[in-house]
Amino acid sequence: MDFSIDPKFQQTLKDIETFLVQKLYPLEPDFLSKDWYQIEPLLKLLREEVKNNGWWAPFFHGDKEGESYNLVQLGLISEIIGASPLGHYVFGTQAPDAGNAELIEAFGSDEQKERYLKPLVNGEIRSCFAMTEPATAGSNPTLLEATAERDGDDYIINAHKWFTSSADGAQFTIVMAVTNPQAPVHQRASMLIVDCDNPGFEIVRNLPVMGESHGGYFSHAETKFTNCRVHKSALLGGDGEGFKLAQTRLGPGRIHHCMRWLGLANRALKMHCEYAKNRKIGQERTLADSDITKQRIAENAANIAAAKALVLQTAWQIDQEGFKAARFNISMIKYLTANVLQKSLDDAIQAMGGLGMTDDTILAYIFRHERAARIYDGPDEVHQLSVAKQLLK
């Protein structure tokens, strides 16, 4: 495996990091204290700057300006821009838009690509993804209760979803629902594109996540589809291919997520170190002089480095051999990296004491929202069981 980075790409990474430090980190206090729609206009201006620099939507390999990258390179980009909650939105790599774009690019009709993909990739519209349900296990999409029944040339969708991320302000959603209830379990569900102004689609509320109810791109909505009628042309991919599409969507997403988590973990570690060097605990001592502090910093540094090596190895294997060959590692990096992030955040907050509990730094926000890293895209336990079963064979 060769993870060497050519000088041109190395400079791109440095330039992107400089952009985040100078342009995005200073906006985080406003992000924490203001409504999304108050800061969105400024973020849109920064999006134009990103586009002018040729950094926009690097995940997208279709007809666009700018470079195209392999998965290892995309992972390294995600690590940098993911270190700020604002990064992925400003760079056009935010979930669920990026995953939805990849789905439509791979499986969409020409009409769907023209109507949804082009404006989505250009950042002109936003989208959401409706799969998780309140009453069924999110880690097992074969248990979906949502239905999409055929009625002539239409489908009629009835579903109750939640954690429909970024629904507030989105122009369309991709919904996963059962279209063939009698088929084998992995061939029952399909994905359909639904315009959010469809009278059968409703945002019930933006879910409060650990006490916060963000609007706009950072929202997590409870949604309902009530006799929601869409034409058969809304079907994404083939009928009964929803599970296959979901697995395709999750593959590259795991690399992006894990590298984003490592970017956040590394930022927490840097803030931990900086605070420890300046926090006095005696006349001539700082927190950095404490052996406990040194031990925690060293442990987190090793955890982050080890997790990054495994994630990049997995990305390299996918680039060389495909997702199927790397499925063992894909499960491992998901639960390993999520826990590395949680420990780095927890130790940094612990070191900062009362300050760490406030929104005077970005850490408390990250902790609130990234605790879910051990749950979404399959909880730790599901991935651990999958790895253990493969090892025991």
Side-chain angles (χ1 to χ4, degrees):
M1 288 173 287
D2 182 5
F3 295 154
S4 59
I5 303 172
D6 68 77
K8 181 182 176 182
F9 183 65
Q10 184 67 54
Q11 186 60 50
T12 296
L13 294 177
K14 290 180 180 178
D15 291 342
I16 291 174
E17 184 171 20
T18 299
F19 179 88
L20 258 77
V21 172
Q22 294 180 353
K23 301 292 181 69
L24 292 191
Y25 289 3
L27 289 179
E28 289 174 348
D30 283 343
F31 164 68
L32 294 174
S33 62
K34 295 181 180 179
D35 182 83
W36 163 254
Y37 294 104
Q38 290 178 281
I39 67 168
E40 186 181 23
L42 180 55
L43 297 180
K44 285 185 175 180
L45 291 176
L46 292 176
R47 279 181 150 201
E48 292 305 313
E49 190 172 339
V50 166
K51 289 179 180 179
N52 291 336
N53 288 330
W55 301 332
W56 177 256
F59 69 92
F60 186 66
H61 296 289
D63 182 19
K64 73 174 184 70
E65 296 182 0
E67 298 283 345
S68 292
Y69 302 103
N70 61 35
L71 199 52
V72 171
Q73 291 172 318
L74 286 172
L76 293 170
I77 292 172
S78 290
E79 179 186 21
I80 294 173
I81 65 179
S84 170
L86 302 174
H88 281 285
Y89 179 79
V90 171
F91 280 77
T93 57
Q94 71 277 8
D97 291 341
N100 287 347
E102 289 171 334
L103 277 180
I104 299 173
E105 182 185 14
F107 301 102
S109 65
D110 290 341
E111 179 187 353
Q112 290 169 343
K113 291 177 181 178
E114 183 67 27
R115 182 174 177 181
Y116 300 108
L117 181 60
K118 282 188 176 180
L120 184 64
V121 170
N122 290 334
E124 298 164 6
I125 63 173
R126 290 197 291 104
S127 66
C128 54
F129 186 72
M131 182 172 74
T132 305
E133 300 175 349
T136 64
S139 61
N140 188 352
T142 65
L143 300 177
L144 290 177
E145 293 180 347
T147 61
E149 297 182 358
R150 191 68 181 265
D151 181 32
D153 286 339
D154 296 339
Y155 285 95
I156 299 177
I157 306 168
N158 283 284
H160 184 194
K161 303 285 187 177
W162 72 344
F163 287 93
T164 304
S165 297
S166 305
D168 185 9
Q171 279 64 46
F172 73 90
T173 183
I174 296 177
V175 60
M176 189 161 167
V178 174
T179 53
N180 303 291
Q182 305 306 318
V185 291
H186 292 98
Q187 299 170 25
R188 291 176 183 170
S190 302
M191 288 190 185
L192 300 106
I193 301 177
V194 179
D195 292 317
C196 289
D197 61 2
N198 187 307
F201 175 76
E202 172 192 5
I203 296 179
V204 178
R205 59 174 175 149
N206 285 332
L207 293 166
V209 177
M210 291 204 174
E212 291 182 352
S213 295
H214 277 286
Y217 158 58
F218 288 91
S219 65
H220 299 282
E222 179 182 0
T223 58
K224 285 187 177 179
F225 300 76
T226 306
N227 296 324
C228 181
R229 183 179 291 271
V230 295
H231 190 262
K232 63 182 181 181
S233 61
L235 186 69
L236 183 59
D239 193 74
E241 292 187 344
F243 187 83
K244 183 183 80 171
L245 267 63
Q247 293 303 109
T248 301
R249 188 181 194 277
L250 289 173
R254 292 258 166 80
I255 299 296
H256 304 329
H257 274 316
C258 288
M259 291 302 289
R260 176 174 66 84
W261 295 337
L262 289 173
L264 291 168
N266 196 50
R267 186 173 177 193
L269 177 60
K270 289 178 179 178
M271 293 175 70
H272 188 168
C273 292
E274 192 64 29
Y275 182 85
K277 289 191 295 182
N278 290 285
R279 180 63 170 179
K280 292 183 179 180
I281 59 173
Q283 290 295 328
E284 298 181 358
R285 284 171 54 82
T286 65
L287 193 60
D289 294 315
S290 163
D291 288 344
I292 293 176
T293 297
K294 292 174 182 175
Q295 181 183 12
R296 288 176 177 169
I297 286 173
E299 186 177 7
N300 280 299
N303 288 343
I304 293 168
K308 181 175 180 177
L310 183 57
V311 176
L312 291 178
Q313 176 188 332
T314 304
W316 180 88
Q317 187 176 15
I318 293 170
D319 279 335
Q320 302 300 315
E321 303 173 43
F323 287 101
K324 188 174 181 180
R327 65 187 185 278
F328 183 82
N329 277 6
I330 289 173
S331 284
M332 282 201 297
I333 62 172
K334 203 282 179 177
Y335 64 79
L336 171 67
T337 310
N339 281 273
V340 167
L341 169 60
Q342 185 170 333
K343 177 169 173 52
S344 182
L345 287 169
D346 191 65
D347 285 350
I349 290 171
Q350 185 72 14
M352 291 186 180
L355 174 63
M357 297 298 294
T358 73
D359 278 349
D360 285 359
T361 79
I362 196 66
L363 289 180
Y365 173 87
I366 297 171
F367 188 88
R368 290 192 299 270
H369 288 264
E370 298 301 341
R371 174 58 182 83
R374 295 182 52 212
I375 299 172
Y376 60 68
D377 286 0
D380 287 357
E381 295 82 358
V382 169
H383 289 287
Q384 288 167 341
L385 286 174
S386 175
V387 169
K389 286 178 182 178
Q390 292 178 69
L391 287 169
L392 290 167
K393 285 182 179 180

